[in-house]
Amino acid sequence: MRVDGELQDLARELTETQTVESGTVEPVTIDSPDGLDILRHSAAHVLAQAVQRVNPEARLGIGPPIQDGFYYDFDVAEAFSSDDLKALEKEMQRIVKAGQRFVRRVVTDDEARAELADEPYKLELIGLKGGAESAAEGASVEVGAGELTIYDNVDPKTGEVAWKDLCRGPHLPSTRLIQNGFALTRVAGAYWRGKTELPQLQRIYGTAWPTKDELRAYQQRLEEAAKRDHRKLGRELDLFSFPDEIGSGLSVWHPRGGIVRGEMEQHARRRHIEQGYSYVYTPHITKRDLFETSNHLVTYADGIWPPIHMDEERDEAGNITKQGVDYYLKPMNCPMHILIYKERSRSYRDLPLRLAENGTVYRNELSGALHGLTRVRGFTQDDAHLFVTPEQLEEETTKVLEFVLSLLSDFGLTDFRLELSMRDDEKSKWIGDEAIWETATDALRRVARASGLDVVEEPGEAAFYGPKIDLKVTDAIGRSWQLSTVQLDFNLPERFELEYTAADGSKQRPIMIHRALFGSIERFFAILLEHYAGAFPVWLAPVQVVGVPVAENFADYLDEIAAKLRAKGVRVEVDRSDERMQKKIRNHTLMKVPFQLIAGATDKEAGSVSFRFRDGTQDNGVPVDEAIARIVEAVETKAHV
């Protein structure tokens, strides 16, 4: 249940005034987002209990719920194997069937240390409880800034404690509610508290759902997702690769992938220019002073690549005659766009100023976090920064959101929802004037609601420098992806002392809007690739048409048709290889070419072709002019065939 906004166990006692009728108590169902987190966190405890039953020497790390599942970290002498997972699932099932009760106990720091004396990682968390959120990912489920609690797993028949863990909770009333809708999925290595200098633990991942049917449906989605994995499709369709010689998380784009990326970028560029954006270009590297002024070297230090020391000069004796300077690969484009704004004085008549760039940035990601094109060390943001007056804020934000939705729709994405991130109640977690925050948040709320999309408000999730709207999209197999962000910023204009001359002649600070539409071009490409399972709409397909002659002597006829298509901007090839016709058709079907034009003697005599589509269907005897018109229309209308 949720009591006065706080999640609590059903076993907690309520006061006389705390009731459902009064609105202070709300039920939490197991299929709600909070309910699923509680289910999965409870399953994580059952996993940890099972591990220590099988291996009493295992030491416990952290076990939080995550999207679609949970994990738990363990310090063990030998790595887990797939066979171990099967044995652990059976042990978990025995614990589930036993119907152990989750019982909450408040303890002092000293009591917790005494009870958990054999758990070094738990002892460390007790010492870090005031800063659990920053201490380690998932640590906040174990300890917080308030009281310490231990959860006992109690045998319902004997009342004896079967197992216990340091935890904030809440949990299910009983392990029996986990039922049989859980499964362990994989094992991975994970550094304690995410720090490479600390011990590496074994992380077991699992998933849990309210019913076995929902578990099976999830597993089927995973199977479909595996077929659509952009890393697999990238190899099969010859789109991109990650050569070892270049380094982890750094991609190269092959000609076919380059075509798709080019179409994406060029279409977005045209749309931006129509919307009044000006394109700028900035370098990949800069002196440290810039990121000191922006404060990125403090607030984003772990994400920045190590410095490159340059410009130092020495005399013949080796003595330094000129001090060097540290340069950094840029993790963000915004400070450089700010310098463009500052290059000359600005008037209210110059605003809004909309600067856009496809700017490549570099992030010092841990190797274990890298994942194809969705998590890389070097990527290109379709970045834009808008400088507006307070009076322009709402109208400009509305235009930005409408533009985002329109442009993403061009790529065939239509299932959207919004999240509005608002400031934290604690003043120490945000900067600026409260009245400006309220005005800006209210403006974003009106903009979000006016879009007609579902809007979820997230208190405390804003960045310290301003509220934001995040746009989430659901793909073809029901997965949710965060794409565009519209972020308001009062901080950087202050730090860089940005000004404009208002209508009354006074000097005022502009408000800055950070806006990434794709987010990262690489990541957006990966999302599209998986959304379409590699079968891009015709306008994005690397090769839009392939001519397949029934015999070699009909290739010239198809070459004439191909020339007409090229004249209209269509990407077309004629397959003159030595393969048999059926093998050619199969090859191009596997490469997901939208249209195959097949021609033999009958077609040549009639001035026609046969269309073959991706799904194997065929349309025979189509006059050449009609075939060309069909293909051109499919490109222009962004059709998916």
Side-chain angles (χ1 to χ4, degrees):
M1 58 187 171
R2 190 178 286 279
V3 182
D4 295 326
E6 179 188 351
L7 282 173
Q8 295 187 7
D9 300 295
L10 286 176
R12 296 280 286 275
E13 292 186 10
L14 304 176
T15 66
E16 291 181 3
T17 59
Q18 291 174 324
T19 64
V20 173
E21 289 75 16
S22 71
T24 59
V25 179
E26 303 169 71
V28 176
T29 59
I30 201 166
D31 57 353
S32 67
D34 285 333
L36 287 171
D37 278 349
I38 293 167
L39 165 66
R40 289 160 181 164
H41 190 192
S42 300
H45 273 227
V46 171
L47 165 63
Q49 183 182 358
V51 168
Q52 290 198 316
R53 276 189 177 182
V54 173
N55 180 3
E57 300 303 313
R59 301 281 71 93
L60 303 175
I62 294 172
I66 56 176
Q67 182 176 345
D68 293 338
F70 59 89
Y71 68 76
Y72 212 113
D73 292 341
F74 303 94
D75 189 347
V76 288
E78 295 184 13
F80 294 110
S81 68
S82 56
D83 288 338
D84 291 328
L85 296 190
K86 294 175 185 175
L88 289 171
E89 278 189 358
K90 289 180 180 178
E91 190 62 41
M92 288 177 70
Q93 195 64 60
R94 283 190 278 270
I95 296 169
V96 168
K97 287 180 178 177
Q100 295 177 3
R101 291 183 292 114
F102 289 95
V103 179
R104 179 180 184 269
R105 270 192 300 126
V106 178
V107 293
T108 65
D109 287 17
D110 288 342
E111 288 170 338
R113 290 190 180 100
E115 290 194 44
L116 301 168
D118 293 332
E119 297 289 355
Y121 302 103
K122 299 294 183 181
L123 295 178
E124 189 172 335
L125 289 177
I126 294 170
L128 295 167
K129 69 175 184 177
E133 289 186 12
S134 58
E137 180 186 6
S140 60
V141 304
E142 308 269 341
V143 294
E147 61 190 5
L148 277 182
T149 54
I150 285 178
Y151 272 80
D152 295 326
N153 282 33
V154 177
D155 188 311
K157 296 178 181 177
T158 66
E160 295 180 354
V161 175
W163 186 79
K164 61 188 173 186
D165 195 7
L166 182 71
C167 183
R168 290 180 68 185
H171 281 287
L172 300 173
S174 163
T175 59
R176 193 178 294 277
L177 290 175
I178 297 174
Q179 301 189 73
N180 57 358
F182 72 90
L184 300 182
T185 54
R186 63 189 177 94
V187 177
Y191 289 105
W192 171 238
R193 294 172 53 198
K195 300 182 184 297
T196 55
E197 66 273 17
L198 296 180
Q200 188 174 57
L201 308 182
Q202 285 280 293
R203 175 171 294 179
I204 297 180
Y205 285 93
T207 187
W209 299 83
T211 66
K212 185 74 170 179
D213 286 344
E214 288 169 279
L215 170 64
R216 286 174 176 156
Y218 170 71
Q219 290 170 331
Q220 287 170 0
R221 290 197 298 273
L222 286 185
E223 290 172 7
E224 180 60 30
K227 295 175 188 175
R228 293 170 178 254
D229 189 317
H230 72 278
R231 296 167 298 176
K232 171 177 172 286
L233 291 172
R235 290 190 301 272
E236 292 173 353
L237 302 180
D238 193 21
L239 301 173
F240 59 86
S241 60
F242 290 87
D244 288 339
E245 295 87 344
I246 293 178
S248 299
L250 300 169
S251 61
V252 295
W253 292 69
H254 302 187
R256 287 173 180 259
I259 288 170
V260 184
R261 176 170 175 161
E263 289 290 336
M264 289 166 50
E265 292 176 336
Q266 290 159 25
H267 178 72
R269 183 184 181 91
R270 287 191 294 269
R271 292 292 312 275
H272 276 80
I273 292 171
E274 290 169 4
Q275 291 288 319
Y277 288 77
S278 299
Y279 271 84
V280 298
Y281 299 87
T282 59
H284 293 228
I285 190 170
T286 181
K287 292 190 291 188
R288 79 174 287 131
D289 289 355
L290 182 62
F291 288 119
E292 283 183 338
T293 303
S294 70
N295 210 38
H296 283 113
L297 277 174
V298 175
T299 60
Y300 200 69
D302 290 344
I304 299 179
W305 282 57
I308 304 167
H309 198 66
M310 301 280 290
D311 301 335
E312 183 179 279
E313 294 181 6
R314 295 174 180 264
D315 60 21
E316 293 180 358
N319 300 309
I320 296 174
T321 58
K322 179 185 174 184
Q323 292 295 328
V325 179
D326 283 343
Y327 283 77
Y328 288 88
L329 291 170
K330 64 177 178 181
M332 315 280 186
N333 298 302
C334 36
M336 296 186 179
H337 291 186
I338 287 171
L339 295 183
I340 294 173
Y341 180 96
K342 283 194 71 172
E343 189 63 25
R344 64 179 180 83
S345 60
R346 305 286 178 178
S347 158
Y348 72 96
R349 298 180 187 278
D350 299 320
L351 306 184
L353 179 65
R354 308 178 187 96
L355 303 180
E357 177 181 15
N358 287 338
T360 301
V361 296
Y362 301 89
R363 305 282 172 87
N364 189 15
E365 299 281 3
L366 294 174
S367 59
L370 300 175
H371 184 83
L373 291 177
T374 60
R375 195 77 177 264
V376 289
R377 286 176 169 162
F379 59 93
T380 303
Q381 288 184 309
D382 66 319
D383 230 348
H385 295 95
L386 298 86
F387 302 87
V388 303
T389 69
E391 296 78 19
Q392 295 167 336
L393 179 62
E394 187 166 342
E395 179 183 359
E396 197 62 23
T397 306
T398 299
K399 288 181 180 178
V400 168
L401 187 56
E402 289 174 347
F403 178 42
V404 165
L405 295 172
S406 171
L407 186 50
L408 291 178
S409 296
D410 290 347
F411 289 90
L413 300 172
T414 56
D415 189 349
F416 305 120
R417 68 183 187 283
L418 302 176
E419 287 185 359
L420 173 61
S421 297
M422 303 181 293
R423 67 174 172 81
D424 199 280
D425 289 336
E426 290 186 36
K427 178 65 179 80
S428 62
K429 294 187 177 180
W430 51 276
I431 62 167
D433 182 84
E434 185 171 352
I436 294 177
W437 269 87
E438 291 298 332
T439 300
T441 302
D442 287 343
L444 285 188
R445 182 181 290 112
R446 287 191 294 271
V447 168
R449 290 177 177 173
S451 71
L453 300 175
D454 289 338
V455 181
V456 176
E457 297 193 359
E458 299 284 0
E461 292 300 315
F464 71 92
Y465 50 80
K468 64 174 179 171
I469 293 175
D470 288 324
L471 183 141
K472 301 211 169 172
V473 62
T474 302
D475 70 9
I477 59 173
R479 295 172 302 178
S480 179
W481 302 88
Q482 181 175 321
L483 288 180
S484 310
T485 294
V486 182
Q487 171 78 63
L488 305 189
D489 188 350
F490 319 124
N491 175 47
L492 287 179
E494 189 72 31
R495 295 187 72 88
F496 282 90
E497 299 180 340
L498 301 187
E499 291 182 340
Y500 68 91
T501 304
D504 62 3
S506 63
K507 297 294 185 181
Q508 303 291 333
R509 288 264 188 268
I511 297 173
M512 193 171 172
I513 301 175
H514 301 253
R515 192 241 64 195
L517 192 155
F518 298 149
S520 141
I521 290 175
E522 286 80 358
R523 183 171 176 271
F524 185 72
F525 177 91
I527 292 169
L528 276 188
L529 184 56
E530 295 193 5
H531 176 67
Y532 288 114
F536 287 111
V538 182
W539 73 286
L540 285 175
V543 178
Q544 295 164 323
V545 182
V546 169
V548 180
V550 171
E552 175 61 28
N553 54 316
F554 302 111
D556 290 344
Y557 173 66
L558 284 171
D559 277 335
E560 294 172 8
I561 299 171
K564 294 178 181 179
L565 286 167
R566 288 193 193 97
K568 294 184 177 292
V570 177
R571 295 185 289 277
V572 56
E573 298 175 356
V574 175
D575 189 341
R576 286 180 170 270
S577 68
D578 294 332
E579 300 281 3
R580 293 184 300 107
M581 183 187 73
Q582 293 303 323
K583 181 66 180 298
K584 292 180 182 181
I585 290 172
R586 174 174 167 73
N587 289 343
H588 300 305
T589 301
L590 290 175
M591 293 302 287
K592 303 185 186 292
V593 176
F595 298 115
Q596 294 184 52
L597 299 184
I598 303 170
T602 303
D603 292 301
K604 184 174 181 181
E605 290 174 11
S608 64
V609 290
S610 294
F611 268 94
R612 186 176 178 88
F613 304 100
R614 285 166 168 157
D615 63 1
T617 60
Q618 204 157 305
D619 191 359
N620 299 324
V622 180
V624 169
D625 289 345
E626 181 184 333
I628 292 171
R630 273 201 213 179
I631 293 166
V632 170
E633 182 184 16
V635 174
E636 292 176 347
T637 61
K638 298 181 170 53
H640 188 245
V641 300

